[in-house]
Amino acid sequence: MSTVVAETTTPSEPTLREGAFGHAKGLSCRECGHAVELGPHYACPECFGPLEIAYDFPQVTREEIEAGPANIWRYKALLPVPSDIEQSPNMEPGFTRLLRANNLGRELGIDNLWVKDDSTNPTNSFKDRVVACALSAATEFHAKVFACPSTGNLANAVAAAGARAGIKTVVFIPSNLEKPKQVNSAVYTDSLIAVNGNYDDVNKLASEIAGEEDGWAFVNVNVRPYYAEGSKTLGYEIAEQLGWRLPDQIVIPVASGSQLTKVDKAFQELIKLGLVEDKPYKVYGAQAEGCSPVSVAYKAGVDAIRPVKPDTIAKSLAIGNPADGIYVLDICRRTGGAVEDITDDQVREAIVLLARTEGIFTETAGGTTVGVLKKLVETGQLDTSLETVVINTGHGLKTLDAVADSVGPAATIDPSYAAFAATGLA
């Protein structure tokens, strides 16, 4: 495994306790490979490329992982967290269910289909995973404030994790965010800030505050390299739950693109560590048509992502300038996958389809992913004979408005058997 040679730490940075970041040895630029010492940094000082964690992994066995707790800390040896992470107050997310989706598979014509259902995390979305890693980093950096810009799910997860850890928490959201996601954050914190603008405006504000204020840990800004590593646990879990093997194909929603890139990173790490067999797999990205800059670039065959102004009901995917978009393109092309998009009506139809075939009520991001899976089959871009996993990132109760007008009672009747019989359902 790679080892990073550290640069000199700036005098203002806190002294890190030994082992605070596990087997992470530093930060590495994804563009130029420049090495940076562990700290609250997210941009390369040489080329401004994104930084990510570099490790010097120990030998890890399947048995050691399986003996761990039923949450993401079973993979702590592969994350930038201390060995005593379980002792810290946290939400203990992860190890969510991987469901065989025979009914949906029959509907779509896919022989072997699974749904990785992250709606069962503590705040009902996959964001609890990344926030748990970010909280550990923020604690080690002695942050005074735990914060984030968010399209909703992250706000919920940060607010809840901050409350559990007893740290001051401030979350910033677009003012037009779905009401249930606002309530799901405000119930945990009295510092929910609604900003007039879209996510990209909110993210810009957060970056400005991070540059002005000392002691603020913005989970997806200045501690982003640590935060993003939490998404790897999705990939680890899928492989372990499949019996320590990789799926042939996986469909993942794309907002910033970080989740997709980290699942791929997880698969590659498992291969390098000898925990799974090295085999080909295809990665597919899913976007909503109203915010599909990565899909547009993929279809145009170009590498540049042209930012867009989002206009879709899939607000958790509504990032018009995705930070990891170019890496999503690279992974999907490298593995033989694709990036596809669907309309808002197709998102709504897919939400209902998943609910009525598998009993899983997904939010709009999950609807987008299932809808794109359907489109990939219909357009012949996905091999229906191969084992396929589709990721559901959050619970539908957070985005009720998306389908509120398209579902409801089949009939309203008087309380009599005759009235019921008249519905034709008897």
Side-chain angles (χ1 to χ4, degrees), residues 123-124 151-153 155-157 173-188 192 315 361 363 395-404:
T123 66
N124 305 114
T151 56
N153 282 328
N156 301 167
I173 58 171
S175 57
N176 68 346
L177 191 65
E178 298 100 328
K179 189 69 174 178
K181 285 185 176 175
Q182 294 191 33
V183 173
N184 269 290
S185 294
V187 73
Y188 300 115
L192 174 69
K315 295 188 185 300
F361 185 17
E363 62 169 356
H395 203 289
L397 288 175
K398 295 186 175 190
T399 57
L400 275 175
D401 288 349
V403 291

Side-chain angles (χ1 to χ4, degrees), residues 299-356:
K299 293 176 181 176
V302 300
D303 294 330
I305 307 292
R306 187 172 185 175
V308 301
K309 186 175 182 179
D311 182 16
T312 172
I313 62 169
K315 295 188 185 300
S316 59
L317 301 182
I319 297 180
N321 189 14
D324 281 6
I326 57 173
Y327 305 112
V328 169
L329 287 175
D330 177 62
I331 291 167
C332 292
R333 287 169 175 159
R334 187 195 79 217
T335 62
V339 188
E340 188 54 271
D341 58 81
I342 58 172
T343 67
D344 283 354
D345 283 344
Q346 289 171 314
V347 172
R348 297 186 185 93
E349 292 168 3
I351 290 172
V352 175
L353 174 64
L354 181 61
R356 294 185 178 176

Side-chain angles (χ1 to χ4, degrees), residues 79-90:
L79 298 170
V81 299
S83 59
D84 61 352
I85 183 66
E86 300 102 315
Q87 307 307 315
S88 304
N90 68 80

Side-chain angles (χ1 to χ4, degrees), residues 114-190:
W114 300 84
V115 176
K116 179 59 174 172
D117 186 15
D118 248 21
S119 69
T120 56
N121 271 313
T123 66
N124 305 114
S125 90
F126 79 102
K127 289 294 187 181
D128 291 314
R129 297 174 182 272
V130 285
V131 167
C133 289
L135 178 61
S136 175
T139 301
E140 298 297 343
F141 292 138
H142 308 292
K144 297 179 295 185
V145 181
F146 197 49
C148 72
S150 173
T151 56
N153 282 328
L154 181 58
N156 301 167
V158 166
R164 170 82 172 134
I167 184 172
K168 180 181 179 181
T169 302
V170 182
V171 295
F172 300 85
I173 58 171
S175 57
N176 68 346
L177 191 65
E178 298 100 328
K179 189 69 174 178
K181 285 185 176 175
Q182 294 191 33
V183 173
N184 269 290
S185 294
V187 73
Y188 300 115
T189 178
D190 59 2

